[in-house]
Structure formats: C-alpha cells, structure tokens
C-alpha cells in the first residue's frame, strides 16, 4: 500500500502554532521557558515553536537538544544507534519550565529515556511534553501535554515525518510497514 | 562493531563515526552526573598480561562511566603465574559471563586468537598486543588531533591534509603501527623518523614516508610531532650507542621545540622518559597534549565499549 499523506505542510505549521500558544498559556509568571528537542526532528520542531513564541510574545525562550540514545532500554534489540549531541542551553535547566519536544509519540520509551537523561543534566521545576503526532500504543504511563495531531494507527503501520530543514519537503504520511 | 582488534580493519567512515561517538561521550564529562546507564548489567573484564597503568585505569573509568561492572584481571597474582593457558583463562571468563574482554598481551595476535577461537563469545577489545597494535591509543590520538584543529566543530571531520611526524622506536611500537593505519585512512600524511636500527623490515610498504633525520623532518613544519617512548623493556640489543646520543639525534629538546610552527602540537602516548625522547620543556609546554590524550582516552574507550556492546546479538556484522 502506498504512503497516504495525513498532514500537509500547512497543517504542520498550524499544529506547531497551536502548540506554541498552548505552551504560552500554561506558563506561570516568572517561569523560565526551555524547549528541549529530541534529535533529530524534535530539535527542528523545538526551533520552530521557539520562533512562533518569539513572534507572538516577549517571553524569553531558550532552546536545546537532548539526546536519549545512551539512556534507552532497547539498545540490545536494535542495530547500534549513533548518538547525537546534547546541547544544554547556556542558562541550564535547573528550576526551569522545560518542554520536551518530540516528533512522533509512540510507545513512550523514548520519553522515559529522556526523563532519565534530563536528570543527569539538572533539575527542572516542571517537565512537560509536546509531540507533533501522537499515534497511540503507549507501553508506559506517559501522556503528552501538547499534541499537534492525534493519529490513531495500527502497530503494523509506519508514520513518516518529513521536515523542510532535514528532508527538503514536508508532510506526515502513514503507510503499511514492509513485512 | 563486533570486536576492535586492529585499526587496519577500520574504514574511513567507521573511524570518523567512532570519533563522533567519542565527542558525545566527552560531553558527558562536563555534566553534573558523569555517568550513563547505557551498559548497565554488562560485565567488562580487563585482562592484562602486561603491566599498564594508564590504559587499564582508562578502560576501567570508561566502563564504569557507562555503568558496566568491571573485573580487573592482571597476570601477576593470578593462575596465569601457575601456568594457566590463554584458552583456560578465556573459558573461565566466559563461564563468569563476561560481555567484553579488554586484553593486553605480550604476544602479537593474542586478541585475534581470543576473538576467533570460539573459546569465548564476548566482544574483544585489543588494549595492546606485543609489537602489533594498540588501536584505542591511535583512536585517542586521532581524536586529540581533530579536537586541537577543529575545536567544538570537530564532528564528522577527518584529518585530511594534516601532517604527522612520528619519532622514535618504530620497531617495537604498536602505537606507531596503529597510528599509521588509522591516521592515513583518515587522510593525514604520516612521516616516520627513527634510527635505521629501530625501523622494522618492510616499513617502506606502510602508508607513510620514512626518514632518519629528525631535523630534516621538522624543517618541513609538521602539524603534529608524536614522540614515542624508548621501551627499555624491549631493548635487548644495541639499537643505539647510548641514551645521550639518542637524545641528541632523535629527542625533542628545548631547542628543537623552538623551531616548531606556532600552532603545531607535541604528543606522547606516555609514560614519558623525560630527558631521553622528550625534554621537560617540551612535555610541559602549551603545545603538549599529553594530559589531553589521557582525558580523551576515557571518552574514546567509552565510545568503543558502547559500539562493541550495543546492538543486536543476532546477525551481527
């Protein structure tokens, strides 16, 4: 079965704009906002959300990248993964309002690893989770706070996210995984 | 990566990938919590048949930072001194449940024997075998050179166009061999300088140029000068008349230090014979990367342990 496009570029932009506004609404006065993207595409999404927040408000926003490879519990079950750099924003994350940004939320294991990775670089005041797509099938008690699009899917299906900055085109598609 | 036995086995891309993982490992050293849970539940055995301080503690620190359990085994005080064979030792380690064995052995090829024998299923990492290879030392040297040249933008870069002069006891040096293969496959131009008695037969076949005069080599303004240790424990012949003459002809003294290009660096794998192959002035100068090499060694060994111990057990390449 060919890939079916479920979100176009305009839909992705609209979803990210909505997530940005929701993040702003959830801030208390005095909160220091830090967006941490989970490589690779989460980092791009975090940058886009930061851009929107800077356009529509004067809330200062720090961005960084949080690699979770070394904290995964499935390293023995998959081919060896090459880690990506973790970039902690200059002000650190201690006492901050940290939003983890991921592309597709699935089993929740990446986020479990991210929470461990976060603990190694500091102690935020709160941690929230934003995901562009939530496809369900959680294996852990993890729930996103900001979701771009709920996309009910079968576990045999693959969700692909392409972003302009990385792939040269932009869409979310769903396809039957090759057996 | 199943084992790390020789830098000859590493292609350009694979070598760069190891150095990139090492960059991520180096970042961990700056964190509040300098430990990763990655290898929790794995057992790493340091199997050392030859004396070593820095390599063993470097591997031990690397394994511990990745949360592996570490068992240190040195031949002294073990059943090896009662005559136990490598095979029996390996099978004992297999029975204990070792996931990786870091081996240093006086016999060239001992790690390859362990990897190919079927005595043990663990990943084998060569930590120096006889006069053959010392791949993690070469990797940390390449890492150190790359960081000095490219700083924080080192990721994904190789060593194209970098000139490296390696000076000293090439004949006995496993560090030199591993570096020649690795640095040349990363694109560096390697020159070997030594008295003719300390060059191995067949050195002209290596991907390196060879010279006998240190002054002539330094006149070409190399980016990197790597001094090798005179290994007195392996000097069973008269390779040069005396230490003083060696030092005058092939040692990096204060005078030669002054002739180096402004941004060139001085490396030494340690332990140093101060006053013989390297003067204190050179060893302690800002050009010297000796302590950086030690610190980088931990990051590089973390990367190697991660790469040999992660990934699927079935169908490995």
């Amino acid at each position: 079965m060919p890939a079916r496009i479920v979100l176009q570029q305009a839909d992705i932009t609209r979803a990210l704009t909505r997530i940005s506004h929701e993040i702003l609404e959830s801030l208390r006065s005095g909160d220091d906002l830090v967006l941490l993207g989970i490589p690779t595409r989460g980092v791009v999404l975090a940058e886009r959300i930061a851009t929107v927040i800077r356009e529509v408000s004067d809330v200062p926003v720090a961005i960084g990248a949080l690699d979770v490879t070394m904290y995964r519990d499935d390293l023995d079950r998959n081919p060896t993964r090459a880690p990506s750099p973790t970039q902690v924003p200059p002000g650190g994350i201690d006492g901050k309002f940290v939003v983890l940004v991921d592309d597709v939320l699935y089993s929740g294991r990446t986020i479990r690893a991210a929470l461990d990775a976060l603990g190694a670089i500091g102690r935020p005041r709160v941690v929230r989770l934003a995901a562009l797509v939530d496809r369900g099938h959680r294996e852990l008690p993890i729930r996103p706070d900001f979701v771009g699009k709920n996309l009910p899917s079968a576990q045999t299906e693959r969700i692909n996210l392409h972003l302009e900055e990385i792939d040269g085109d932009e869409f979310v598609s769903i396809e039957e995984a090759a057996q | 990566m199943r084992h790390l036995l020789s830098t000859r086995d590493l292609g350009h891309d694979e070598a760069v990938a190891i150095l990139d993982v090492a960059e991520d490992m180096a970042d961990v050293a700056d964190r509040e919590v300098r430990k990763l849970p990655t290898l929790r539940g794995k057992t790493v055995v340091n199997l050392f048949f030859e004396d070593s301080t820095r390599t063993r503690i470097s591997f031990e620190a690397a394994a511990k930072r990745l949360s592996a359990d570490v068992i240190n085994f040195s031949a002294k005080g073990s059943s090896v001194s009662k005559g136990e064979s490598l095979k029996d030792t390996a099978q004992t380690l297999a029975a204990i449940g070792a996931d990786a064995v870091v081996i240093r052995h006086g016999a060239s090829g001992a790690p390859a024997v362990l990897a190919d024998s079927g005595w043990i299923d663990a990943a084998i990492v060569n930590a120096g075998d006889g006069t053959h290879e010392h791949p993690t030392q070469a990797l940390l040297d390449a890492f150190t050179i790359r960081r000095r040249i490219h700083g924080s933008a080192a990721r994904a870069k190789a060593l194209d166009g970098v000139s490296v002069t390696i000076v000293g006891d090439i004949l006995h040096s496993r560090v030199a061999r591993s570096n020649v293969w690795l640095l040349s496959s990363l694109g560096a131009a390697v020159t070997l300088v030594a008295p003719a008695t300390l060059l191995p037969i067949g050195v002209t076949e290596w991907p390196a140029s060879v010279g006998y005069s240190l002054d002539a080599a330094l006149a070409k303004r190399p980016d990197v000068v790597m001094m090798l240790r005179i290994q007195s424990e392996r000097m069973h012949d008269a390779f040069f008349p005396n230490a003083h003459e060696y030092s005058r002809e092939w040692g990096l003294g204060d005078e030669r230090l002054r002739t180096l290009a402004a941004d060139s660096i001085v490396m030494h794998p340690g332990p140093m014979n101060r006053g013989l192959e390297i003067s204190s002035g050179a060893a302690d100068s800002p050009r010297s990367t000796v302590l950086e090499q030690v610190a980088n060694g931990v990051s590089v060994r973390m990367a190697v342990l991660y790469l040999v111990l992660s990934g699927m057990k079935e169908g490995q390449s």
Side-chain angles (χ1 to χ4, degrees):
Chain A
M1 197 178 85
R4 178 165 55 89
I5 300 221
V6 285
L7 292 182
Q8 307 278 3
Q9 181 157 27
D11 304 318
I12 293 173
T13 306
R14 203 173 315 120
L16 290 174
T17 305
R18 188 161 45 73
I19 288 175
S20 308
H21 283 278
E22 286 175 4
I23 290 172
L24 278 173
E25 281 165 23
S26 70
L27 288 177
R28 283 201 248 145
S29 66
D31 273 339
D32 282 330
L33 179 59
V34 175
L35 301 176
L36 287 181
I38 297 174
T40 316
R41 289 179 177 70
V43 178
V44 174
L45 296 175
E47 283 162 6
R48 295 233 199 132
I49 292 171
T51 306
V52 175
I53 290 178
R54 285 174 187 138
E55 275 168 11
V56 302
S57 76
D58 50 8
V59 172
V61 42
I63 54 175
L66 182 70
D67 186 65
V68 307
T69 310
M70 308 310 287
Y71 296 85
R72 301 195 74 96
D73 60 4
D74 57 358
L75 291 170
D76 281 348
R77 291 178 181 78
N78 291 295
T80 303
R81 292 163 185 263
S84 304
T86 285
Q87 271 143 9
V88 183
I93 61 165
D94 285 344
K96 305 288 168 73
F97 187 104
V98 171
V99 181
L100 296 173
V101 183
D102 199 7
D103 48 4
V104 179
L105 184 59
Y106 187 22
S107 66
R109 288 180 190 270
T110 301
I111 304 306
R112 200 277 313 152
L115 292 172
D116 284 351
L118 212 50
I121 57 174
R123 186 180 183 282
R125 187 179 77 76
V126 292
V127 182
R128 300 279 186 255
L129 173 59
L132 178 62
V133 170
D134 181 358
R135 63 169 295 189
H137 305 291
R138 214 79 75 239
E139 295 165 3
L140 295 169
I142 280 169
R143 185 179 55 76
D145 302 282
F146 314 105
V147 185
K149 171 85 175 164
N150 283 299
L151 209 57
S153 62
Q155 278 183 293
T156 53
E157 288 171 323
R158 270 182 64 87
I159 308 264
N160 304 308
L161 166 63
H162 278 213
L163 291 174
E164 198 78 54
E165 294 90 329
I166 295 170
D167 310 288
D169 53 0
E170 185 151 322
F171 59 82
V172 175
S173 71
I174 186 164
E175 66 181 322
E176 199 67 36
Q179 291 302 309
Chain B
M1 193 160 68
R2 176 77 173 94
H3 305 292
L4 178 65
L5 303 175
S6 159
T7 55
R8 256 184 172 164
D9 306 335
L10 297 175
H12 173 279
D13 294 350
E14 197 177 3
V16 171
I18 296 172
L19 300 184
D20 286 352
V21 174
E23 285 284 347
D24 295 315
M25 298 299 182
D27 289 346
V28 175
D30 304 329
R31 301 239 187 102
E32 208 169 302
V33 180
R34 288 192 288 181
K35 199 166 173 104
L36 294 168
T38 318
L39 299 182
R40 209 170 44 189
K42 306 272 189 196
T43 300
V44 175
V45 175
N46 283 328
L47 182 60
F48 277 62
F49 292 92
E50 262 188 5
D51 292 339
S52 158
T53 328
R54 69 194 64 218
T55 305
R56 189 184 59 72
I57 61 174
S58 181
F59 267 109
E60 184 172 352
K64 284 182 170 169
R65 275 195 195 164
L66 290 170
S67 303
D69 295 312
V70 182
I71 297 172
N72 285 315
F73 175 105
S74 65
K76 270 181 205 149
S78 75
S79 295
V80 171
S81 52
K82 300 177 192 163
E84 188 176 61
S85 68
L86 182 59
K87 178 177 177 179
D88 288 331
T89 305
Q91 286 177 331
T92 304
L93 299 180
I96 286 170
D99 295 293
V101 176
V102 175
I103 177 173
R104 164 162 295 192
H105 202 288
S108 302
V113 168
L114 216 51
D116 298 335
S117 59
W119 298 330
I120 183 167
D121 190 35
I124 308 296
V125 178
N126 182 358
D129 58 333
T131 57
H132 176 230
E133 284 230 30
H134 191 354
T136 56
Q137 177 71 41
L139 285 163
L140 77 88
D141 289 339
F143 184 83
T144 304
I145 297 170
R146 197 175 78 152
R147 271 209 152 180
R148 272 276 174 132
I149 293 175
H150 297 294
S152 57
R155 277 189 181 81
K157 294 206 170 75
L159 298 176
D160 296 291
V162 178
S163 52
V164 181
T165 296
I166 303 178
V167 188
D169 181 3
I170 311 290
L171 177 63
H172 298 103
S173 177
R174 51 197 178 207
V175 174
R177 281 170 182 76
S178 286
N179 264 308
V180 167
W181 317 132
L182 181 69
L183 297 177
S184 61
S185 84
L186 285 172
V190 182
T191 303
L192 303 172
V193 175
T197 49
L198 286 175
L199 284 166
I201 294 168
V203 70
T204 48
E205 309 288 311
W206 294 7
S209 46
V210 179
Y212 304 109
S213 160
L214 179 54
D215 289 318
L218 294 185
K220 291 182 184 155
R221 318 277 282 173
D223 300 309
V224 178
V225 181
M226 185 184 296
M227 305 307 296
L228 298 174
R229 182 171 66 92
I230 286 298
Q231 306 185 32
S232 48
E233 74 274 23
R234 293 187 221 273
M235 294 284 165
H236 305 305
D237 262 313
F239 291 104
F240 46 84
N242 59 52
H244 185 70
E245 179 165 335
Y246 181 86
S247 178
R248 199 174 59 220
E249 293 293 325
W250 292 283
L252 186 64
D254 297 349
E255 227 163 277
R256 287 195 174 107
L257 183 69
R258 277 193 290 276
T259 69
L260 296 181
D263 51 357
S264 63
I265 65 175
V266 173
M267 309 183 78
H268 192 296
M272 293 183 280
N273 297 308
R274 283 174 188 256
L276 180 52
E277 71 265 5
I278 190 166
S279 70
S280 276
D284 300 331
S285 77
R287 298 169 186 285
S288 161
T289 60
V290 173
L291 294 177
E292 276 163 67
Q293 286 170 271
V294 177
N296 292 340
V298 177
S299 306
V300 164
R301 289 172 178 125
M302 286 171 78
V304 168
L305 288 174
Y306 166 68
L307 291 169
V308 297
L309 281 172
S310 69
M312 280 177 290
K313 276 282 173 229
E314 296 84 18
Q316 288 162 317
S317 58

